[in-house]
Amino acid sequence: MLINEDTPVGSSVTQLLARDLDNDRLVFGVVGEEASRFFAVESVTGVVWLRQPLDRETKSEFTVEFSVSDSQGVIKGTVNIQVGDVNDNAPRFHNQPYSVRIAENTPVGTPIFIVNATDPDQGAGGSVLYSFQPPSSFFAIDSGRGIVSVIRGLDYEITQAYQLQVNATDQDKSKPLSTLANLAITITDMQDMDPVFINLPYSTNIYENSPPGTTVRMITAIDQDKGRPRGIGYTIVSGNTNSIFALDYISGALTLNGPLDRENPFYSTGFILTVKGTELKDDRTPSNATVITTFNILVIDINDNAPEFNSSEYSVGIPELAQVGFALPLFIQVQDKDEGFNSVFEVYLVGNNSNHFIISPTSIQGKADIRVRVAVPLDFETIPRYEFSLFANESMPDHVGFARVKINLINENDNRPIFSQVLYNVSLFENVTVGITVLRVHATDNDVGSYGKVSYFFSDDPDRFSLDKDTGVITLIAWLDFEMTQRYTLTVIARDGGGEETTGRVRINILDVNDNVPTFQKESYLGALRENEPSVTQVVRLRAADEDSSPNNQITYNIVQASAFRSSFDISVSEGYGVISVTRPLDYEQVSNGVIYLTVMAKDAGVPSLNSTVPITIEVFDENDNPPTFSRPSYVITVMEDIMAGATVLFLNATDLDRSREYGQESIIYSLEGSSHFRINARSGEITTTSLLDREAKSEYILIVRAMDGGVGHNQKTGIATVNITLLDINDNYPMWKDDPYFINLVEMTPPDSDVTTVVAVDPDLAENGSLVYSIRPPNKFYSLNSTTGKIRTTGVMLDRENPNPQEAELMRKIMISVTDRGRPPLRATGSATVFVNLLDLNDNDPTFQNLPFIAEVPEGLPAGSSIFQVVAIDLDEGLNGQVTYHMQVGMPRMDFLINSSSGLINSTAVLDRERISEYYLRVVASDAGVPSKSSTSTLTVRVLDVNDENPTFFPAVHNISLPENIRRDFKVIRLNCTDADVGLNAELSYFITGTKYSYMAPPPWSSGNAGNGMGTD
């Protein structure tokens, strides 16, 4: 009798029947402690009901003894009760917790871990498949074997660890169960990141009186490789004028290396230092990983300079009729080289009759030109000569500047100075150094003596130029800026000793340098487009301006960063605007939150160029380009024909890859057609019955289910699935296979008594008619079968995928199972179940050479590249395990031959010379591509056959012999030594004498090499 393990407690499972010919009252009961715990019998009716839940995985079979008694006695009967399996156990993981450590440079495709889960249920409910939940972008798991592999490059600096959830799901078709397990993957760091400076920027100030050794700044960089960071070495790259700073290589301490003077022109504008940080290897030598930064150091002034005049004495002659207010042609310039309040001072005249002249200005900060003007009418006859003291006083008593001023009055003057040019024209770059000489103006006066002495002045006081009164040299005294002023026109006064003046003009053209960064019109830009927009589509127009002149203000644009689809965007210039276009359609489902962030750089054409960036936000709108998709195109389910009206038959779920609420998952509506006996919830996808079913009237229903998204009209997308519902009868049925045929993957060489699969047949009949017996027909020596549970296991006979016996190969791959019930007479299933076993290959076979060892004979002198021999090896394994490649072991004289790794063809790489090497012993290795690889080694002997390619050689080549004239006939004069590097007949030598009529060789055989005298000598 068969009782499913999920039968509810209190259910009636059978009824005992007995008859007493005496018509006595019968009392039914159950015998035994264990049987009484699980079963109870109604004493009067004989109805047997379940008292306690069943669990097939705990106990799969009961032998229950029932009793019936009357007043005369008791009889007992035994019933075998099989507990039928239902899918009530979720897969269980073993050997938890799961964790593994791998390097960040682990190659894609590398297996890194194996998880293992088992399910004690039978059939599909006990077959386990693995997956990641949610899926991982970096790792994949083999659904059948649980092998976890890397599928994408890893980066420790982005992610140091991954927590993955492995989902083990059984394959029960009606109610699959699953279990989750955590897999912790720790990524170990490799050295692949450059260092980076911290605590930026490093710009700072330092007082000019700071002593050497003063710490200016701490420079600190760190290695971004966080797993095992390296130390950093620091060096100054540029900007260290006169080596005024020192940078500690290890600590990064930037210190003052010498005295500072802000008034020194090399130091007055400060310093622009560029420093470099270099990662140090374990032996403290520098690596290739570096980082560079640039910063400013400004020198702060202290009051350490007294005012100074540009001359210690000034002397000038002026006409005695000079008007009151007349400015003496003196170039008096006073300067305190300090700055700010430290350069404030007063100027005044001291001496006899000093009140005849006034000076301006009298209060000065920094630097000024002093004008001395006539204060009262002058009289040469009264005072022909003046001499004053000119003082410049700070508030500090020891900070005083002094100069002498001497003025001589001149009686007359009748010539004016004349400039050498009417207009002086010169050009300067805006970044020229202050203090540079601009040009020299020159004027001549035909007068002699003091009247002919010319002095130069500006008609007004320009703030960026000074004029030497004596030489006419114009000097730059302040920085220039092309963007503020492109041209200066100065009026220069040439004044002779008598006061006659002539004016000239100086035009100074300022040339632009690239000192302005391009500036965007907006702080950010916003664009929008729909997904799948055809290319090329304009998205954003932007513009940046540069205040420099051409070509420094010519701007180019490029995209320097994109959060997604970088290769899909392009930027071009049109009518001065940077136009961002999309060059290929975008997929909204691959855009995070539907927004793409770009960074655009505007770069001018200066050398070096300057640039600025601006953020761009592009909103991508969803198109309804994905239809709803069911998890399967069709669903096959079975239900009992006595299912209640309104009962749930199946939950369907369709997914839509569109991510917006308008077209995505939340917009799906379900509909059903095919039978009025079923309906579907439009939102949840739950299929329920609407009325009672009758299998005898209709045994199968095919329903069409549609899932429609939120699109309108032709834009709406629909997914379709079919649902096949089969009704199960409650009586009079032959056993039926549940999952026939079975397709099983089994690794060859699986150990004995290993689970293969469980075959399951169902018979809805009750009692013995529903109890099934399984058997293997025809018998199969490779597998055993539990007749009650249908579990198939391996026997002790080895499973070898490469077994050459065709009958055994078929038995290993195909198991025929028959099933009968225990009724009388028993009913056999109409057909046998077939278990197709796919034997998975193990790399258990070494490659086998088919034609080695062998001796190959080849003639010497064959040209390089000639084919010598083709090695053939086979490997009985399949796939990569059976893919054979060839190579030769390293060693002499391997370089004279080359083997094709795929075909095994051995070619010569040099012309073979038997006299150099007569025989080669090549060790050939055949390896398969399995992991780990298997290989075989054998020897090919290449014997080089001789060719008559060597000439006989005498040694020595020349003999000098002296003979007396009276030697006798047949006297042996000399024995010659001659060799030939060939062998065999090619090396057998014969000797002859040529070139004389007197001497002769010994008669044959001529191989002796003896030379004699054949006649007398005179």
Side-chain angles (χ1 to χ4, degrees), residues 890-912:
V890 176
M892 293 289 289
R894 174 178 172 269
M895 68 289 296
D896 288 344
F897 300 90
L898 181 67
I899 187 168
N900 186 294
S901 62
S902 300
S903 67
L905 182 63
I906 297 176
N907 293 324
S908 62
T909 60
V911 176
L912 302 182

Side-chain angles (χ1 to χ4, degrees), residues 469-489:
K469 74 178 185 65
D470 297 317
T471 64
V473 172
I474 298 176
T475 304
L476 180 66
I477 62 173
W479 294 105
L480 302 175
D481 189 350
F482 174 88
E483 286 70 32
M484 294 180 60
T485 305
Q486 289 81 42
R487 175 182 293 174
Y488 293 88
T489 301

Side-chain angles (χ1 to χ4, degrees), residues 115 173 265 353 413 490 617 648 709 720 734 747 886 938 950:
V115 298
K173 295 182 178 179
N353 302 311
N413 182 26
L490 308 177
T617 302
T648 298
D709 64 19
I720 298 177
Y734 288 90
V747 179
Y886 305 88
S938 189
E950 299 289 332

Side-chain angles (χ1 to χ4, degrees), residues 114-351:
I114 299 177
V115 298
N116 181 29
T118 58
D119 189 323
D121 291 319
Q122 294 180 320
S127 177
V128 179
L129 291 181
Y130 303 95
S131 64
F132 283 139
Q133 185 177 351
S136 170
S137 301
F138 294 88
F139 302 94
I141 186 168
D142 187 292
S143 61
R145 302 185 185 186
I147 299 175
V148 180
S149 303
V150 179
I151 61 172
R152 184 176 172 186
L154 307 173
D155 190 344
Y156 175 89
E157 283 67 40
I158 296 177
T159 306
Q160 291 82 41
Y162 295 86
Q163 287 289 341
L164 306 180
Q165 278 196 324
V166 182
N167 183 25
T169 306
D170 61 37
Q171 300 307 295
D172 186 79
K173 295 182 178 179
S174 61
K175 188 183 69 174
L177 300 177
S178 62
T179 302
L180 297 177
N182 290 324
L183 171 58
I185 302 176
T186 302
I187 309 302
T188 58
D189 191 26
M190 303 297 291
Q191 284 292 340
D192 59 353
M193 297 288 289
D194 288 334
V196 63
F197 284 108
I198 62 174
N199 302 325
L200 292 173
Y202 292 137
S203 297
T204 187
N205 301 329
I206 184 171
Y207 284 98
E208 63 175 319
N209 63 341
S210 299
T214 300
T215 298
V216 180
R217 200 73 165 84
M218 289 300 298
I219 310 299
T220 306
I222 60 173
D223 184 357
Q224 296 187 79
D225 295 302
K226 301 176 182 178
R228 187 166 172 248
R230 292 171 168 173
I232 306 297
Y234 304 92
T235 54
I236 298 176
V237 177
S238 63
N240 192 12
T241 304
N242 296 333
S243 299
I244 195 66
F245 299 105
L247 179 61
D248 190 276
Y249 185 70
I250 298 301
S251 69
L254 182 67
T255 57
L256 191 61
N257 200 35
L260 275 178
D261 183 3
R262 191 200 64 80
E263 290 70 40
N264 186 326
F266 289 110
Y267 306 152
S268 59
T269 57
F271 303 87
I272 301 176
L273 280 187
T274 298
V275 299
K276 179 170 71 174
T278 302
E279 289 186 19
L280 302 180
K281 301 177 183 177
D282 293 341
D283 59 0
R284 309 306 285 176
T285 59
S287 69
N288 294 327
T290 62
V291 62
I292 290 178
T293 187
T294 301
F295 56 92
N296 297 322
I297 300 177
L298 182 64
V299 182
I300 306 299
D301 181 54
I302 63 170
N303 192 8
D304 59 348
N305 290 279
E308 293 181 356
F309 289 97
N310 62 337
S311 178
S312 61
E313 183 176 290
Y314 302 95
S315 179
V316 67
I318 62 174
E320 63 175 319
L321 299 179
Q323 298 294 318
V324 172
F326 170 75
L328 276 64
L330 293 173
F331 179 58
I332 302 176
Q333 191 176 73
V334 64
Q335 178 183 11
D336 189 328
K337 293 182 180 179
D338 295 319
E339 64 179 0
F341 187 74
N342 294 333
S343 64
V344 175
F345 58 92
E346 301 288 333
V347 180
Y348 55 90
L349 283 173
V350 176

Side-chain angles (χ1 to χ4, degrees), residues 318 323-328 330 332 347-350 353-362 369-376 378 386 388 390 405 407:
I318 62 174
Q323 298 294 318
V324 172
F326 170 75
L328 276 64
L330 293 173
I332 302 176
V347 180
Y348 55 90
L349 283 173
V350 176
N353 302 311
S354 62
N355 59 334
H356 289 188
F357 298 89
I358 60 174
I359 61 173
S360 64
T362 57
D369 293 337
I370 305 299
R371 288 291 190 181
V372 181
R373 299 180 183 274
V374 178
V376 298
L378 305 176
Y386 294 89
F388 309 115
L390 186 60
V405 180
I407 303 173

